[in-house]
Amino acid sequence: PEPVAARYRQGEEIPAEEHQDVTVIFADVIGLDRLQAELTSERWLTIVDELERQFDAAGDGLGMERIRSVRNGYLGSCGLNVPRLDNVRRTVDFALECQRIVDRFNSETSSSLSLRAGVDTGSVSSGLSGRPSVVYDMWGAAVNIAYQVKSGSRQPGIDVTDRVYEALRETMNFTSAGTVTVDGQEQPIWRLVEPR
């Protein structure tokens, strides 16, 4: 984030920060690996860059903060550096918009990509890590659980934890998607069906 970058450029030591009310999304675009095998490296990179650009534009409009993207994955948050009372809703709306971006790409290119996302809300930490290349990163329980929710799903879609479900169940439709084991305890997972 620019405020952190400005402090770092001025030589300030940036300690890790704790955040209590942050919603986290981990998302993968499924099918990019298969597409990579069919295209030149240059064409594949152009597609990945365009998808990331569209995800970032959607995120900017919803107040999302991209933490990092990794080849076919995306880690973002809402409420991390700019507190937002509706960070849960904004994050799920962002996931839906990413799904629409992928669907639009498919219709324009006759591809068969899909989005798989995991969303959780809670406590995280953030800070700068690494030397000599410094990277802004985020970690903590909500990050780990969002990743486990996304990774535990065998099919495309938007899966959320019980905390996200409880925050949105009056305004969005969900169906049970099983459980995920976190620290030895099973937690229910919910699949977003469609917005109401």
Side-chain angles (χ1 to χ4, degrees):
E2 186 52 40
V4 175
R7 290 169 48 204
Y8 179 75
R9 283 192 294 269
Q10 293 173 358
E12 187 178 332
E13 277 294 315
I14 310 293
E17 295 182 66
E18 304 291 324
H19 311 270
Q20 299 306 314
D21 186 18
V22 177
T23 304
V24 176
I25 180 171
F26 251 111
D28 284 340
V29 178
I30 302 169
L32 279 177
D33 290 337
R34 184 182 62 253
L35 200 59
Q36 181 183 18
E38 300 169 2
L39 302 173
T40 66
S41 295
E42 184 176 332
R43 177 67 182 130
W44 181 81
L45 185 58
T46 300
I47 289 170
V48 171
D49 286 346
E50 178 60 20
L51 287 171
E52 280 187 17
R53 186 193 64 72
Q54 290 185 42
F55 286 0
D56 286 342
D60 288 346
L62 288 163
M64 298 295 298
E65 299 170 85
R66 176 169 62 137
I67 305 302
R68 68 175 177 266
S69 60
V70 182
R71 209 169 56 120
N72 60 348
Y74 190 99
L75 171 61
S77 67
C78 189
L80 183 68
N81 290 296
V82 177
R84 297 186 186 276
L85 294 175
D86 60 346
N87 63 62
V88 175
R89 178 62 188 234
R90 286 172 179 260
T91 305
V92 173
D93 284 347
F94 171 69
L96 284 165
E97 186 57 31
C98 289
Q99 201 166 49
R100 284 190 281 273
I101 289 166
V102 169
D103 290 345
R104 190 168 48 245
F105 173 82
N106 287 337
S107 67
E108 292 170 358
T109 63
S110 298
S111 297
S112 57
L113 302 179
S114 55
L115 185 83
R116 178 176 55 203
V119 180
D120 188 30
T121 191
S123 301
V124 301
S125 299
S126 68
L128 299 176
S129 64
R131 299 277 189 260
S133 295
V134 178
V135 175
Y136 184 75
D137 204 359
M138 176 177 67
W139 60 92
V143 177
N144 296 338
I145 295 170
Y147 178 79
Q148 289 179 27
V149 168
K150 185 259 318 167
S151 298
S153 179
R154 292 184 176 88
Q155 58 186 352
I158 300 166
D159 292 337
V160 304
T161 62
D162 210 36
R163 288 183 289 270
V164 174
Y165 167 75
E166 288 297 330
L168 298 178
R169 70 183 188 156
E170 298 298 323
T171 58
M172 300 182 113
N173 293 326
F174 296 90
T175 185
S176 176
T179 61
V180 66
T181 303
V182 178
D183 295 330
Q185 294 183 349
E186 288 195 350
Q187 295 188 15
I189 301 302
W190 302 89
R191 168 144 305 197
L192 180 64
V193 178
E194 63 183 59
R196 284 189 188 155

